[in-house]
Amino acid sequence: MGEVLAQAWAVARKDLVLEFRTRTALVSAVVFAALVLTVFNFGRDPTAVPTIDLAPTILWVTFTFAAMLAMNRAFQLELENQALEGLLASPLSRTGLYWGKLVANLVFVAVVEAVGLPLFVLFFDVPVGRVLAPLVGVIALATLGFVAVGTLFSALVMRTRFAELLLVVILLPFLVPPLIGAVQVTARLFGGRPLSESVGYLKLLAAYDIVFVSLASFLFRFTVDE
Amino acid sequence: MSLAHKGRWITMVGLVCLAGVYVRALAFTPVERLQGPAQKIFYLHVPAALWTEAAMILVGLAGIFYLFLKDPRLDRFAAASAEVGTVFAIIVLTTGPIWGKPIWGTWWTWDARLTSTLFLFFLYVGYLLVRGAVRDPGVRARYAAVLGICGLCLVPFIHLSVFLFRTLHPQPIIVKPSAPSLPGSMLATWLFSLVAFSLLYVGFVTQRYAVGDTDHA
Amino acid sequence: MLSAEGLRHTFGEGRGQVVALDDVSFTLTSGQTLAIFGPNGAGKTTLLKVLAGLIRPQAGSVRIAGGRRAIGWIGHETHLYEHLTVRENLLFWASLYGMPAPRRGPRAAEVLGRLGLGDRADRPVWSLSRGLAQRASIAKALIHDPSVLLLDEPFTGLDLAAAAELRVLLGELRGRGAGGGGRVLVLATHNVDEGVELATDVAFQRRGRFVHLAPLGGRGPSEIAEAYRRAVEQRTGGVTDG
């Protein structure tokens, strides 16, 4: 177990060093998030729908779309010089590889969200100050679930044609439960409702995380081993 | 008799049963008081919806067994089941709006149950696209199994999120903890229809499986 | 020590089925270098991948003293990350092999020195020429001091000088293995001239069939090429190449 974690950390660290050195994907994802927020601002009628009603949806559509850009990157970079082949021939455990990719993806998406959230507050003037801690908690809970599935699926599609497009299509149905949960909890938080009203959705998000993180950890080996 | 022939016969029997269901539904089953004749579509809609979901569950189960047994027949079954499930999902998604227009006054509502079938439909489409995108049969079977198993685990989550979401949809009236609250004659017609759809599922899958068999012979 | 026993592997099914390995067995001990010759698509890469544990064969087994950790894999792709420096690449691979952190730095420096990459260690891989990148790739494969080296078409894309240099290097590696003993080298190539100097043993592979001719004796490249042709014709029932 200790060795698997050490390997996972080695993979995650390598991915993050590569990412912060080239920055192409990260900058693209952040700019993309900013663009989506801007487009939403012009794509609504502020006199007809109060911002606060639309805000949770805007936030989560932005986050999930930007996250999908991030997940394509994870295994594409292993195809350069067939590095993946080398990884698989080394004693690196498959679970270690998956967890490493998952951690790198989570950090990547967290950076996009950390930039996206203040922009969102700025553009839509949503008072998040008093609910910041629970909001961050919900973001973490929902993000873990769909990034876990997305990381598995990005390994699945990496060698197919139109990998980016295919990933979006197969991931979409899997985004529904975390998206519904996250939007509902966020709406209640913005509406100043007590957290106890969101318990059902929080349980849904937690259950989704547990099921899909374990399932993906187990199934990952079948996407890379021949 | 070849597998394809058997499949054709089962499908035929299923279609005859379905015709029987509609003779019974239109002529011998009472018209629902509030919904009027539109309710008749329910005999088509609900069994199709049940089998849309059952087909996904079977795709997932076949995937689990494939990963352990590596038997290509399991993969061929999963492929057949997914294609038939897609067809059933289309039936649900067409009959839903036909019923919804007179009853809800609109073709499409983002009603949770209809929406969850829509997502099952997307799941099927994604599954079939992945199958189409991989050429090597062994790799394709493995990828399909992984995706199918994830789909199987997603089904309860779609239901849960749908359940928590407020819904316009008529609450389930047949499969629920208390006794069914459907008049006897309607229930009989419905059960008859469920049998017809089960036959159709088995018939379609058998035929599709047989076609896959000759593809690889 | 490396031994393969009754390996069999196919791709596809039905009419499109390709037999990549057909009952392949051999044993090599340290100091031996096996050169596998065969046309493209003969199943050489599949064999190496099976030996490296990348593909689980449908039948048969591979035994390697020391297991997966004892393997160094050199493909015609370098397996290096272009945006990391040579040293960073080596440190990353060292960590995957479970080398303790304090030992990684000195070990990387040692390997880089031996391969003459000391002055380029801190340059990103994308800035290296094909020959240097190949050398960095060999450094990467040696970082954990493997006793078995698997080489898949290592000469592809190298100019004559770089290829000659690589041959000298591989000759040295064969002699100096883990703990001072010799290494086992398995070299797959479609070009008989490239590998024959290094080999102690040769094998011909075609359509999954494997003919092991051991040892090499004093035969030169032209005799090997002739034997290759004969072996192929004999084993495939007179079907000639092409």
Side-chain angles (χ1 to χ4, degrees), chain A residues 57 60-61 64-65 142 146 174-185 205:
Chain A
T57 316
W60 282 102
V61 168
T64 43
F65 278 40
F146 70 76
F174 289 86
L175 288 178
V176 173
L179 202 60
I180 289 181
V183 167
Q184 294 300 316
V185 178
L205 290 175

Side-chain angles (χ1 to χ4, degrees), chain A residues 3 7 10-11 14 17-18 21-22 78 80-83 85-92 94 226, chain C residues 11 49 52 54-56 68-69 73 77-85 88 92-93 95-97 140:
Chain A
E3 198 186 349
Q7 291 174 337
V11 171
K14 183 265 303 171
V17 168
L18 275 174
R21 196 159 290 170
T22 55
E78 299 297 349
E80 183 181 76
N81 295 331
Q82 289 296 322
E85 200 179 83
L87 291 181
L88 297 177
S90 79
L92 171 63
R94 307 304 182 242
E226 284 183 48
Chain C
F11 292 104
K49 283 186 171 177
L54 286 173
I55 295 178
R56 191 168 304 144
R68 180 170 274 192
R69 270 167 215 283
W73 166 272
E77 301 277 355
T78 60
H79 300 163
L80 299 172
Y81 300 98
E82 300 267 328
H83 288 274
L84 295 182
T85 66
E88 283 168 333
F92 168 65
W93 290 97
S95 68
L96 289 188
Y97 282 88
K140 173 236 129 189

Side-chain angles (χ1 to χ4, degrees), chain A residues 60 137-146 175-186 198-212, chain B residues 157 160 164:
Chain A
W60 282 102
V138 170
I139 291 175
L141 211 55
T143 304
L144 174 61
F146 70 76
L175 288 178
V176 173
L179 202 60
I180 289 181
V183 167
Q184 294 300 316
V185 178
T186 310
S198 308
V199 170
Y201 286 111
L202 289 173
K203 279 186 183 159
L204 173 81
L205 290 175
Y208 186 92
D209 289 357
I210 292 168
V211 168
F212 280 99
Chain B
F157 280 101
L160 258 170
L164 291 169

Side-chain angles (χ1 to χ4, degrees), chain C residues 25 48 56 69-70 74 92 94 123 126 128 134 159-160 162 199 203 237:
Chain C
S25 304
L48 288 187
R56 191 168 304 144
R69 270 167 215 283
I74 301 166
F92 168 65
R123 280 173 51 182
W126 59 260
L128 302 181
Q134 177 69 299
D159 59 32
L160 284 174

